Amino acid sequence: MSTAPTDVKTVQPADFKSDIHNDWCPGCGDFGVISAVQMALAKLQVPPHRVAVISGIGCAGKSAHYMNAYSFHTLHGRVMPSVTAMKLANHDLTVIGVGGDGDAYGIGGGHFVAGGRRNLNITYVVMNNDVYALTKGQASPTIAKGQKTKSMSEASIMDAINPILLALACGYTFVARGYALDTKYLSEIIAQAIEHRGSALVDVLQTCPTYNDLHTKGFYAGQIEGQPRLYRLDQTGYDPIVHNPDDPVEIAQKKAQALLKSQEPGGRIPLGVYYKLDVPTYEDHLKAKIPGLQQKPLAELDLYHRDITPNLQELM
């Protein structure tokens, strides 16, 4: 007979749900994304008091309100700086940024680039629906040239940003794509992103039933030449992992492989992990410079009673 305790409370997705009224539109893909984040945290058994969620402006920005965790609703495009500060202050927390495509790739574009270069141990989940939905559906940086949603007066005349390609170029060490209405698989991808030590991007294809009448549930469920438009990389033998992080040739090959997948000819869209590289994080480098961080996070260090005599002597 098993002697394992039976009264151990396990973390459930419902533990991460706040009691704040949710005012997203019926059928919005955001519901699937926030559910997937909650499912991923429960799968990893991370308790709510060890999680911090930061969101920006836009429909996706409301995510922090709907999570029972430490949360912060920051300025437009400023998810990455806030995520960075939160993680550096307390590297023991699981820190997750949640933003929209306009917030992350447009207004926050510069911060998105810097976030990849640092390789901080964080997860950034970006809801990608091609529009700024909260302000009535203007084109976001991810809508393709020549496309026009029902809220746009004219078609876009600019090329779209490719989030996967951009993240690879910036230095993100975990790059993946999910689909908001496939919540179970999306939660598996987000769980892998949280477990990854380094900057992780999960770009999520997301339906906006109010302002985007192009990339609808029916569009993503469609087929191309008899094959599903969306398919899973892990069911094709695709290997995203760099097995020898000290081999620059393998790193280049795996990045090139992911770049090709991010521009799949014919219109089919791969889901899953495109690229994964395990190398020292920004926090690892800081701990080497500040030994105190090996024992406790910055928020718990005594920063006000330091002997700065050596520093002053250097200046004399």
Side-chain angles (χ1 to χ4, degrees), residues 27 41 49 61 64 75 85 88 90 125 153 164-165 171 177 235 241 252 257 262 283 305:
L41 289 166
H49 72 280
L75 301 175
L88 292 181
N90 191 344
V125 179
S153 58
I164 302 297
L165 191 154
R177 169 168 279 159
Q235 294 178 342
I241 300 172
Q257 172 187 248
S262 75
E283 300 97 302
H305 299 89

Side-chain angles (χ1 to χ4, degrees), residues 206-218:
Q206 184 249 40
T207 52
C208 175
T210 304
Y211 293 113
N212 190 333
D213 56 349
L214 296 174
H215 298 151
T216 61
K217 180 180 179 180

Side-chain angles (χ1 to χ4, degrees), residues 290-312:
I290 308 174
L293 291 176
Q294 298 282 359
Q295 283 73 46
K296 57 179 67 174
L298 184 65
E300 297 179 17
L301 292 180
D302 182 3
L303 301 178
Y304 299 101
H305 299 89
R306 292 176 296 169
D307 181 8
I308 61 172
T309 302
N311 304 76
L312 294 175

Side-chain angles (χ1 to χ4, degrees), residues 6 23 40 42 65 127 138 169 242 257 260-261 302:
T6 58
D23 61 358
H65 299 247
M127 304 182 189
Q138 300 93 334
V242 176
Q257 172 187 248
L260 290 173
K261 278 297 175 187
D302 182 3

Side-chain angles (χ1 to χ4, degrees), residues 88-118:
L88 292 181
N90 191 344
H91 60 253
D92 287 342
L93 287 176
T94 295
V95 179
I96 302 172
V98 181
D101 46 333
D103 191 78
Y105 307 136
I107 295 165
H111 296 300
F112 182 85
V113 171
R117 291 179 57 220
R118 290 192 194 98

Side-chain angles (χ1 to χ4, degrees), residues 253-300:
Q253 289 173 339
K254 289 295 170 63
K255 278 196 174 184
Q257 172 187 248
L259 288 171
L260 290 173
K261 278 297 175 187
S262 75
Q263 303 170 91
E264 185 96 340
R268 297 191 74 204
I269 305 173
L271 302 178
V273 182
Y274 283 66
Y275 178 75
K276 186 178 187 303
L277 170 67
D278 289 313
V279 290
T281 65
Y282 191 82
E283 300 97 302
D284 292 332
H285 295 302
L286 279 183
K287 288 175 182 176
K289 295 172 68 71
I290 308 174
L293 291 176
Q294 298 282 359
Q295 283 73 46
K296 57 179 67 174
L298 184 65
E300 297 179 17

